[in-house]
């Protein structure tokens, strides 16, 4: 019988859990290193005791950068089969986490099926589900009602929950004084702000934070401290509201650790390139090296339809600077609920950003597959290249769409392929272009 409630409690007691052993095998690290980092909060292993299909992953210092895929049911597109197809894509392309952001109707049926099926860790934002779950309008919901929704998600097997506990009355004053262009763009944050303003009450997740932690500790749910005041445009980044909330999150991080609850800290959405590294370093300092989870950041505001690219640029810089967890962004960001094609594009772009950052951070063997790809290109071994590609199907389809006469080249350079030319010379052969061979 287990004599610990959470991964953090086990780590503090010197216990190596089965989940820790699995993470070690995936990351090529020692159990002692992992246990020490989990004990002090620099690595988390989100693993709800009721998520039996989970293949545990670690997030944090010295580990590979992980990615999350957002999906879920909306009021304008209630297609459960479509959302489950997105789940399949996320698992196929190696996303380590899936967040169910459903915000319409009774979402627990979809969520239960998702938890039952998914080997990836599952996250939610209980605030999104409050109105549908409770069948009450926002103004009618009480503080205890909000906690009931958190407990319902925890019981179902969710591995981590986004809780916007940092947007308290002090932070709201900073927000109001900052005169932002886009104000609050966090859905959960805006709902809490509205509830607080309409009722005059303190943020229930802040006021009853110890009760929230007790719920999460019972099921070993990791708290992802949401940034309600994340910037929604470049002009709003790194302002007083964002920093004020981050300071509160730093205090809340330590309080969670005292209760043996693991913590992830969520980070900014839109930010200029030159601010990203400073923001990562600031989060690590203020939040005591807790794992950092970023949405992008998107590095320009003018690319709707291409925000998977603006996000991947920012995400690679953030992760190379020390961020640990990237939330994908699709081409549909700011425009619509993403379809299957959008989801795939978002996953691939974010996987590229994560992998590029892992190379920069010298994660063990991160560059190994790149070296294998380089050798395959040297040998002009197309089948090997396709197998190593992050998206093998797309790579092969592009190559085959305009097939070259000579399979030892591609249709761009043909016989003038630099690799072919150099290989022939180094093999002591002639390079000929005018004679068909």
């Amino acid at each position: 019988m287990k004599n610990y409630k959470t991964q953090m409690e086990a780590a503090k007691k010197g216990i190596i859990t089965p989940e820790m052993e699995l993470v070690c095998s995936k990351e090529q690290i020692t159990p002692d290193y992992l246990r020490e980092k989990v004990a002090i909060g620099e690595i988390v292993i989100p693993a709800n005791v009721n998520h039996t299909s989970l293949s545990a992953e670690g997030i944090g210092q010295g580990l590979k950068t992980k990615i999350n895929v957002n999906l879920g049911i909306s009021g304008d597109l209630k297609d459960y089969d479509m959302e489950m197809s997105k789940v399949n894509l996320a698992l196929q392309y190696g996303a380590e986490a899936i967040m169910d952001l459903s915000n319409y109707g009774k979402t627990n049926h979809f969520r239960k099926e998702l938890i039952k099926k998914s080997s990836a860790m599952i996250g939610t934002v209980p605030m999104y589900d409050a109105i549908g779950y409770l069948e009450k309008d926002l103004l009618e919901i009480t503080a205890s009602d909000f906690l009931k929704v958190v407990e319902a998600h925890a019981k179902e097997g969710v591995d981590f929950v986004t809780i916007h506990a940092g947007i308290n009355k002090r932070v709201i004053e900073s927000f109001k004084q900052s005169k932002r262009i886009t104000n609050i763009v966090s859905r959960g944050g805006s709902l809490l702000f509205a509830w607080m303003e309409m009722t005059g009450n303190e943020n229930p997740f802040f006021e009853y934070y110890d009760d929230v932690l007790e719920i999460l500790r019972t099921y070993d749910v990791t708290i992802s401290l949401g940034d309600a005041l994340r910037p929604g445009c470049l002009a709003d980044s790194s302002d007083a509201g964002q920093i004020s909330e981050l300071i509160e999150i730093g205090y809340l991080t330590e309080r969670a650790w005292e209760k043996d609850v693991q913590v992830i800290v969520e980070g900014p959405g839109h930010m200029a390139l030159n601010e990203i590294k400073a923001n990562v370093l600031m989060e690590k300092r203020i939040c005591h090296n807790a794992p950092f989870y970023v949405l992008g950041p998107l590095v320009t505001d003018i690319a709707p339809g291409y925000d998977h690219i603006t996000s991947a640029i920012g995400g690679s810089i953030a992760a190379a600077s020390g961020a640990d967890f990237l939330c994908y962004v699709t081409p549909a960001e700011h425009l619509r609920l993403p379809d299957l094609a959008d989801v795939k594009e978002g996953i691939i772009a974010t996987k590229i950003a994560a992998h590029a950052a892992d190379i920069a951070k010298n994660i063990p063997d991160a560059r190994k597959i790149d070296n294998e790809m380089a050798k395959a290109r040297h040998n002009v071994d197309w089948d090997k290249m396709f197998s190593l590609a992050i998206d093998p199907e797309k790579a092969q389809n592009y190559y085959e769409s305009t097939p070259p006469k000579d399979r030892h080249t591609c249709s761009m350079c043909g016989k003038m392929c630099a690799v072919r030319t150099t290989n022939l010379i180094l093999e002591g052969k002639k390079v000929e272009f005018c004679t068909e061979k």
Side-chain angles (χ1 to χ4, degrees), residues 150-402:
V150 174
E151 186 165 21
H153 284 219
K155 281 183 178 179
E156 288 168 4
V158 168
D159 302 296
F160 65 101
V161 288
T162 293
I163 302 289
H164 298 90
I167 182 170
N168 56 26
K169 288 186 175 182
R170 289 190 296 268
V171 170
I172 284 176
E173 286 306 308
S174 294
F175 156 66
K176 288 180 176 178
Q177 292 172 20
S178 64
K179 307 297 182 185
R180 285 181 158 194
I181 293 177
T182 55
N183 290 318
I184 298 175
V185 299
S186 160
R187 190 191 308 167
S190 68
L191 291 171
L192 273 172
F193 170 72
W195 185 88
M196 292 167 68
E197 291 291 295
M198 289 191 296
T199 64
N201 295 331
E202 181 57 277
N203 178 349
F205 297 120
F206 178 79
E207 185 174 2
Y208 300 101
Y209 189 61
D210 286 337
D211 296 319
V212 172
L213 294 178
E214 189 55 40
I215 292 169
L216 302 185
R217 184 178 184 276
T218 299
Y219 301 95
D220 197 3
V221 179
T222 298
I223 187 168
S224 188
L225 288 166
D227 52 336
L229 295 183
R230 71 171 183 265
C233 65
L234 301 187
D236 293 343
S237 67
S238 307
D239 69 354
Q242 179 194 332
I243 306 307
S244 295
E245 184 182 27
L246 186 64
I247 292 169
E248 297 292 337
I249 288 173
Y251 298 140
L252 294 171
T253 296
E254 291 185 303
R255 285 176 60 186
W257 287 344
E258 289 169 4
K259 301 285 188 179
D260 297 330
V261 174
Q262 300 181 101
V263 177
I264 297 168
V265 174
E266 297 188 14
H270 292 238
M271 184 165 288
L273 283 169
N274 59 304
E275 294 181 29
I276 294 173
K277 183 175 181 178
N279 268 261
V280 174
L281 296 176
M282 181 166 52
E283 180 275 341
K284 291 290 185 176
R285 177 65 180 268
I286 291 174
C287 299
H288 321 290
N289 287 322
F292 199 21
Y293 176 28
V294 295
L295 178 68
L298 279 67
V299 295
T300 179
D301 297 330
I302 62 166
Y306 298 91
D307 277 330
H308 58 309
I309 297 173
T310 62
S311 171
I313 293 168
S316 61
I317 295 170
S321 301
D324 309 286
F325 194 18
L326 302 181
C327 186
Y328 93 150
V329 171
T330 78
E333 185 77 8
H334 302 112
L335 302 171
R336 67 171 190 195
L337 191 73
D339 62 18
L340 285 173
D342 298 325
V343 168
K344 180 180 175 182
E345 289 292 313
I347 292 170
I348 297 299
T350 312
K351 292 287 285 187
I352 292 169
H355 180 66
D358 288 347
I359 293 170
K361 289 191 286 191
N362 291 316
I363 297 298
D365 282 343
R367 194 182 295 203
K368 182 178 179 181
I369 193 170
D370 295 79
N371 292 340
E372 291 177 11
M373 177 65 87
K375 292 174 183 175
R377 285 180 171 150
H378 166 79
N379 295 326
V380 199
D381 184 343
W382 292 105
D383 291 335
K384 183 68 171 177
M385 284 186 256
F386 300 148
S387 71
L388 294 169
I390 200 165
D391 183 357
E393 182 182 6
K394 184 171 185 177
Q396 186 162 4
N397 286 344
Y398 266 60
Y399 179 80
E400 301 291 356
S401 65
T402 312

Side-chain angles (χ1 to χ4, degrees), residues 378-380 408 419-431:
H378 166 79
N379 295 326
V380 199
H408 293 291
V419 174
R420 176 181 181 273
T421 296
T422 306
N423 286 349
L424 286 171
I425 292 298
L426 291 175
E427 291 167 8
K429 300 176 182 177
K430 291 182 179 180
V431 176

